Amino acid sequence: MGYIRPATPGFLITLIATILLAVVSFSVPLIKSVYFLKASLSVEGVDGYVTFGTLGYCADVSGTLSCSNATVGYEFDINALVGDSTILQIPTVVVKWLTYALVLHIVAFGLAGVAAIFGLLAHVREMSMTCFSSCISGFGATVALVAFIFDIAIFFVAKSRMNSVSGGSASIGNAVWITLVAWVLLFFSGCFYGVGRCCIRRRPNGNGMWDNKEPAGNGYADQMRLDAVKAEADRKARQQQGEVGLPSFQEYDATQPLKARLSGDGVYLDEEDAVPYRDTQSVSSAGRAGMGSYAPRRPSQGGYVGGGYVQAPRGTRAVDEYNNLSTLP
């Protein structure tokens, strides 16, 4: 039982339906024991019968068996078989087109085969492949049902006409009922996939293999529950420590003044021992001297605007030197 998976019941049902449709698709003239209709005729001491399959027919006259070539859509003189000598006869081309409908069995066989392949792959990747197999099995079941309806319509009418001929008889073959069974299996294959998912469970055992039953004491569920409790405790511990990992912002320093005063060409803090600001001073020293602070922009008594510079005296500016040069002849 260690090899049974949730997809196994549905896969087996689909595989059986595929085999049945394969037998019907390769019936007479390939598999001579599988046919749709067997028509027997005994006239003037000559006995014979004709069997019809998906790809052709076989005729046995006085013990001599001959079969047509296997092909999709075959010709047969049905009027001579049923003894129709009237003006209103069935054209041979109509018979050929009717036999083209038998190719639906091959289409259903192909769809069932694809569904069986997806059912096999569902043993590896269960959910997605099971859905694919169920959907394709549904399409195959639909095609098989249409093929079965054509079988009933064509061969039951032919059986009725053959039984009305003097010395003739006909019987429905096993291929019709095999198609019906394949349709039923494909139709309910999705239900078997669901039964497998509900009744067959996969759980890992101690050796890393998959088992069909849970370990004793439900240890797998207990382990999952324990892991969840540990994760929750770890989360609460991190929450109590605060916002760990976030960048820390510089706090406000009440000892650092936000105002400065101008004296000569230097900027001083309000304290007596403040370091004057110079143009050649480094950025760090300028920061300590009060530059970069967010003081209100109010001009002080010495003309200094907080957070900025005052205009240099006229005649000492670079623009004044440029203007003087431009006025020279």
Side-chain angles (χ1 to χ4, degrees):
M1 299 295 290
Y3 295 97
I4 297 180
R5 302 287 185 269
T8 301
F11 165 69
L12 292 178
I13 295 300
T14 308
L15 181 62
I16 294 174
T18 303
I19 295 174
L20 294 178
L21 289 174
V23 171
V24 175
S25 299
F26 300 107
S27 58
V28 172
L30 300 178
I31 304 177
K32 296 178 176 56
S33 59
V34 180
Y35 50 87
F36 292 101
L37 179 69
K38 182 177 182 180
S40 302
L41 185 63
S42 178
V43 179
E44 298 179 357
V46 178
D47 298 331
Y49 66 86
V50 181
T51 55
F52 299 92
T54 304
L55 301 176
Y57 63 91
C58 288
D60 188 332
V61 180
S62 300
T64 303
L65 182 64
S66 61
C67 299
S68 64
N69 296 326
T71 181
V72 176
Y74 52 90
E75 298 180 356
F76 186 80
D77 189 2
I78 190 67
N79 299 300
L81 180 63
V82 300
D84 189 0
S85 58
T86 61
I87 300 177
L88 299 176
Q89 295 184 352
I90 302 175
T92 304
V93 66
V94 174
V95 177
K96 183 174 182 178
W97 278 105
L98 288 177
T99 56
Y100 270 117
L102 299 177
V103 78
L104 291 174
H105 297 85
I106 302 177
V107 176
F109 162 63
L111 292 174
V114 174
I117 293 175
F118 279 113
L120 181 62
L121 295 177
H123 289 72
V124 179
R125 190 184 181 110
E126 182 178 338
M127 185 62 189
S128 59
M129 295 303 176
T130 300
C131 295
F132 278 121
S133 181
S134 300
C135 293
I136 298 176
S137 296
F139 287 115
T142 303
V143 177
L145 177 60
V146 175
F148 175 73
I149 294 174
F150 270 102
D151 296 341
I152 296 297
I154 295 174
F155 295 109
F156 269 79
V157 173
K159 174 188 174 184
S160 177
R161 291 290 302 271
M162 191 64 193
N163 289 332
S164 63
V165 177
S166 177
S169 62
S171 60
I172 297 297
N174 48 12
V176 177
W177 312 120
I178 293 176
T179 303
L180 177 62
V181 173
W183 168 72
V184 173
L185 293 177
L186 288 177
F187 184 79
F188 289 102
S189 62
C191 299
F192 281 93
Y193 280 113
V195 169
R197 290 183 58 84
C198 295
C199 301
I200 303 176
R201 299 178 180 178
R202 302 198 320 172
R203 292 293 184 269
N205 55 26
N207 298 327
M209 302 297 291
W210 288 100
D211 227 358
N212 295 323
K213 58 182 180 180
E214 296 182 359
N218 199 13
Y220 179 75
D222 294 339
Q223 182 65 32
M224 295 293 292
R225 192 178 299 109
L226 182 60
D227 293 342
V229 172
K230 290 181 178 179
E232 180 65 17
D234 184 60
R235 186 189 67 82
K236 290 182 178 179
R238 292 196 306 268
Q239 187 177 9
Q240 291 177 357
Q241 295 176 1
E243 297 179 343
V244 180
L246 292 178
S248 58
F249 296 95
Q250 184 177 3
E251 297 181 357
Y252 170 69
D253 187 3
T255 62
Q256 183 177 358
L258 298 179
K259 296 182 179 180
R261 58 187 176 84
L262 180 64
S263 178
D265 57 351
V267 180
Y268 296 89
L269 301 177
D270 288 343
E271 288 79 359
E272 295 297 334
D273 55 349
V275 179
Y277 174 80
R278 303 289 182 181
D279 290 340
T280 58
Q281 198 173 3
S282 62
V283 177
S284 60
S285 300
R288 290 193 299 270
M291 297 305 297
S293 60
Y294 295 95
R297 294 181 177 272
R298 295 184 304 169
S300 62
Q301 295 179 355
Y304 172 75
V305 181
Y309 296 92
V310 297
Q311 187 175 7
R314 186 179 298 276
T316 61
R317 301 174 300 176
V319 66
D320 296 332
E321 183 180 357
Y322 175 79
N323 293 332
N324 294 333
L325 293 175
S326 61
T327 57
L328 294 178

